[in-house]
Amino acid sequence: MASRSEAAASDNPMMPGGLRAGSQPALRFAPSPTGELHLGHALSALTTWEWASRLDGRFLLRIEDIDTGRARDHLIEQISEDLAWLGLQWETPVLRQSEHFTDYRAAARKLEDMGLLYACFATRSDIRAEVERLNTQGIAVPRDPDGAPVYPGLHKELPAGEIAARIDKGEPHALRLDMAAAIERAREITGQARISYVAFDDDGRERRVVADPARWGDAVIVRKDVPASYHLAVVVDDHRQGITHVTRGKDLEAATDLHRLLQVLFGFEAPRYHHHRLLLDKGGAKLAKRSGSESLRSLREKGLTPEDIRRMITAV
């Protein structure tokens, strides 16, 4: 993303910059208990641990289990076993997102009160059909950073009475961010045309990155099934836990643009961000639970040691 980077924010190796007097750096590893941890998770956890040590900071474990339909309690215990086996230690109690739905509802209400959320009743098939209709008319629908079509605006202009009636009937709906309105509000808040954040590289050097949240379109902020999306929950929890430095994979680099926008709207301070490399399989795809990447538990049962894991991560 060098094309979106401004002049380096600092020419010196990274120190705990941007901290309030007397505060301590805080970092977190935040897995979802929807599958077993694999080498990609080990890379992320160890990277976070190493930066916490380098900054003399706190290492936190957060369980991101808002997807209650897929999260499994036994996997939470296994996550702890895997991380302890790697030699990591973390503060307790561990935050579980499923225990904080009230907080996410309150955060969403703030955005609603600002006039930045609207109800969306569209199903995936509705969206797919609308995208196909637009394509047949020669209107190309852009893709968001995850590869999905940017929301084509179904239900965005529904009359308030119809929206209220459908909600009263219990019709499932998500809440989407009116991206254009949100960006305009962020400009009013910051007094700047563009929002940005500080990123730090492997060597600790910092640079300022201009965020481009518009490429996400009208993103879902509250899902139909739970009172938050990943984007809302992670922003609220990073603020709640006083996270100062976020280390996560490059696959989430684009999400930082949206997170930075939400931080501005809520009046939250922005952490510094480090987006580390991804581990890829033989086919060039990133390691993932859904593709059956071999788990840390399986590797441990084969007799591998934490030192072996570290060597494997370095070699890939």
Side-chain angles (χ1 to χ4, degrees):
M1 290 179 55
S3 61
R4 297 197 300 120
S5 297
E6 295 178 345
S10 172
D11 290 331
N12 299 316
M14 193 185 74
M15 295 298 290
L19 298 179
R20 290 183 293 271
S23 61
Q24 184 182 15
L27 297 88
R28 47 67 168 183
F29 174 61
S32 299
T34 56
E36 297 181 321
L37 298 187
H38 49 65
L39 284 175
H41 294 109
L43 171 62
S44 189
L46 289 168
T47 298
T48 302
W49 173 263
E50 290 166 2
W51 272 107
S53 299
R54 186 169 173 178
L55 295 170
D56 191 24
R58 303 161 59 208
F59 178 84
L60 306 179
L61 172 62
R62 180 164 76 218
I63 302 299
E64 298 196 339
D65 59 345
I66 61 169
D67 191 346
T68 55
R70 297 175 58 225
R72 298 291 181 266
D73 284 345
H74 77 275
L75 291 175
I76 297 176
E77 181 178 351
Q78 188 171 320
I79 286 170
S80 296
E81 292 174 356
D82 289 341
L83 297 179
W85 175 67
L86 287 173
L88 309 188
Q89 299 176 341
W90 53 93
E91 297 181 8
T92 56
V94 172
L95 187 149
R96 287 186 60 171
Q97 289 185 332
S98 61
E99 298 174 351
H100 294 277
F101 283 166
T102 299
D103 300 318
Y104 308 139
R105 290 189 184 96
R109 279 196 298 272
K110 290 182 179 180
L111 296 176
E112 285 186 288
D113 291 344
M114 297 169 74
L116 300 179
L117 297 185
Y118 64 91
C120 173
F121 302 91
T123 64
R124 291 181 181 178
S125 59
D126 292 335
I127 295 172
R128 184 166 54 251
E130 177 65 7
V131 170
E132 291 174 355
R133 184 187 71 81
L134 291 171
N135 286 339
T136 60
Q137 294 181 358
I139 302 173
V141 177
R143 299 272 171 172
D144 70 22
D146 285 340
V150 169
Y151 184 63
L154 287 171
H155 303 166
K156 187 171 183 178
E157 304 298 334
L158 286 179
E162 181 179 345
I163 293 173
R166 295 176 74 167
I167 292 176
D168 287 343
K169 290 179 182 178
E171 187 171 345
H173 64 282
L175 294 179
R176 289 184 179 271
L177 184 69
D178 185 330
M179 182 59 72
I183 290 175
E184 182 57 34
R185 178 61 66 90
R187 288 174 180 151
E188 295 172 358
I189 292 171
T190 63
Q192 300 176 351
R194 303 288 295 275
I195 58 176
S196 61
Y197 63 90
V198 175
F200 58 97
D201 298 321
D202 291 336
D203 62 4
R205 295 186 183 277
E206 297 182 349
R207 55 194 169 86
R208 185 161 291 279
V209 177
V210 176
D212 182 20
R215 55 183 171 157
W216 287 99
D218 289 358
V220 171
I221 297 301
V222 176
R223 291 169 36 170
K224 291 182 179 180
D225 52 343
V226 293
S229 65
Y230 162 74
H231 303 297
L232 177 64
V234 72
V235 166
V236 170
D237 289 334
D238 281 347
H239 175 71
R240 177 209 315 276
Q241 295 186 290
I243 300 302
T244 61
H245 298 74
V246 172
T247 57
R248 57 190 183 191
K250 283 190 174 296
D251 55 328
L252 289 171
E253 189 168 22
T256 304
D257 293 356
L258 178 53
H259 298 174
R260 183 66 193 116
L261 175 60
L262 293 176
Q263 289 160 358
V264 169
L265 297 174
F266 287 131
F268 295 164
E269 289 191 35
R272 280 155 160 71
Y273 289 91
H274 175 63
H275 299 102
H276 60 72
R277 66 188 177 92
L278 301 176
L279 298 186
L280 307 179
D281 61 22
K282 294 180 179 179
K286 74 169 185 174
L287 300 184
K289 300 171 186 175
R290 66 175 62 91
S291 61
S293 298
E294 189 167 16
S295 69
L296 294 181
R297 184 174 189 174
S298 174
L299 295 171
R300 183 166 71 248
E301 290 174 348
K302 289 181 177 179
L304 274 70
T305 67
E307 291 70 28
D308 293 327
I309 298 301
R310 285 176 167 81
R311 282 194 292 270
M312 292 173 68
I313 290 173
T314 302
V316 175

